[in-house]
Structure formats: structure tokens, C-alpha cells
Amino acid sequence: MVLLLAGGRGFTRRDGLRRLKERIENIPGATNVRYEPSRLRPRTVVADIDVEMYLGDAFPRQTATLEVLWRPHEGKDVQRVQWADEAVSLGWHKDDDHPDLGTTHFQLEASGEVVHEPGQIEVEAPLGFLEVCLDRLPDALRATSES
């Protein structure tokens, strides 16, 4: 079954997740890139991240997990790029959870507090959404080490 995505390109969910996985395999510091819950029933792509290798600088936290979800829907896809380490969980979510913040919101969980802000990402294609998030991620991470 081929889905026509909101971004205008048609491919299956499995093919979309495969493309996301291939991109994540090329992130510096990414290891153990895998489908979860399994290769046969992929829902997300998850990678273990060596933080200093990813950032190219010393950082107070050594390891993290990156999780990417893409669920195609007619009209608007659900997408999430989520980073989690021992101190923070942060990411960009394109879903209907916070419509007052726009089509995408940024979520930061740290020290028992959760903050939501407008995400301002209007890209529809899953790889484009991932690229925007990867471009913003280093600055978002560095901001968490300063607080």
C-alpha cells in the first residue's frame, strides 16, 4: 500500500522509516540504530548517541537516545524527533497535542518540569523534518548544560 503524504511524496510507512534509519546511521556518534519495537513491526527508529562525538565538543552528559517517529496521515503526518539523556528529554513534535502552539511544538522536560514552546517547523517530508530538528538540536542541548 502506498500512501500519498501531506508533503506530496508517495511511499509506504516502511519505506519512510527505512529512509529515516539510513539518515540516522550517518549521524556522528550514532550507534545501534534500530527499529522499535522490531524490524518486522517498525514504529520508530531509535539510536544510541555518543554525545561528545555528536556535538564535536566536551559535554557534561556522555550518552543519549534519539527516537524518530513518523506516522503518515492524510492531510498532516504525525512526526516526532525526541532526544533523551540522564538530565533532559527534549524534542520537536508535529501532532495535535498542543494546537495553540502551531503545527509543531518543542518540548523540554528537565528537573521535573515540562515546557512547551512553538516549534515553527513547516516541513512536511519526514527527512526534511528530521534535518531541521538535527540542525537545531546542538543549540538546544548546549542550552540545557548552561541552566
Side-chain angles (χ1 to χ4, degrees), residues 5-147:
L5 305 179
R9 298 180 67 190
F11 48 86
T12 66
R13 178 173 164 177
R14 183 177 300 275
D15 193 37
L17 288 172
R18 180 187 53 79
R19 292 177 188 198
L20 290 167
K21 182 177 182 285
E22 288 171 354
R23 172 60 184 99
I24 293 168
E25 289 171 337
N26 291 305
I27 294 174
T31 60
N32 192 25
V33 181
R34 61 206 178 269
Y35 297 112
E36 287 195 357
S38 71
R39 185 177 59 81
L40 297 176
R41 297 190 51 156
R43 300 226 188 278
T44 61
V45 179
V46 178
D48 299 328
I49 306 291
D50 177 314
V51 180
E52 289 185 358
M53 186 178 284
Y54 172 70
L55 293 175
D57 294 318
F59 197 74
R61 301 181 303 268
Q62 302 299 310
T63 60
T65 302
L66 181 70
E67 179 182 39
V68 177
L69 171 128
W70 171 63
R71 265 190 221 129
H73 289 280
E74 192 172 320
K76 183 173 79 170
D77 298 345
V78 173
Q79 300 184 64
R80 181 178 70 219
V81 175
Q82 190 72 26
W83 174 279
D85 62 40
E86 70 254 17
V88 301
S89 177
L90 60 84
W92 293 266
H93 302 184
K94 186 175 200 170
D95 53 32
D96 294 328
D97 289 352
H98 301 279
D100 55 315
L101 298 176
T103 58
T104 305
H105 68 275
F106 175 75
Q107 180 172 312
L108 171 63
E109 298 177 47
S111 303
E113 293 185 37
V114 180
V115 177
H116 298 97
E117 301 172 354
Q120 301 171 332
I121 301 175
E122 300 303 323
V123 177
E124 293 289 339
L127 281 173
F129 186 85
L130 176 61
E131 289 300 331
V132 170
C133 296
L134 291 175
D135 286 346
R136 295 179 181 183
L137 185 56
D139 289 339
L141 288 172
R142 288 184 182 103
T144 66
S145 71
E146 297 166 2
S147 50

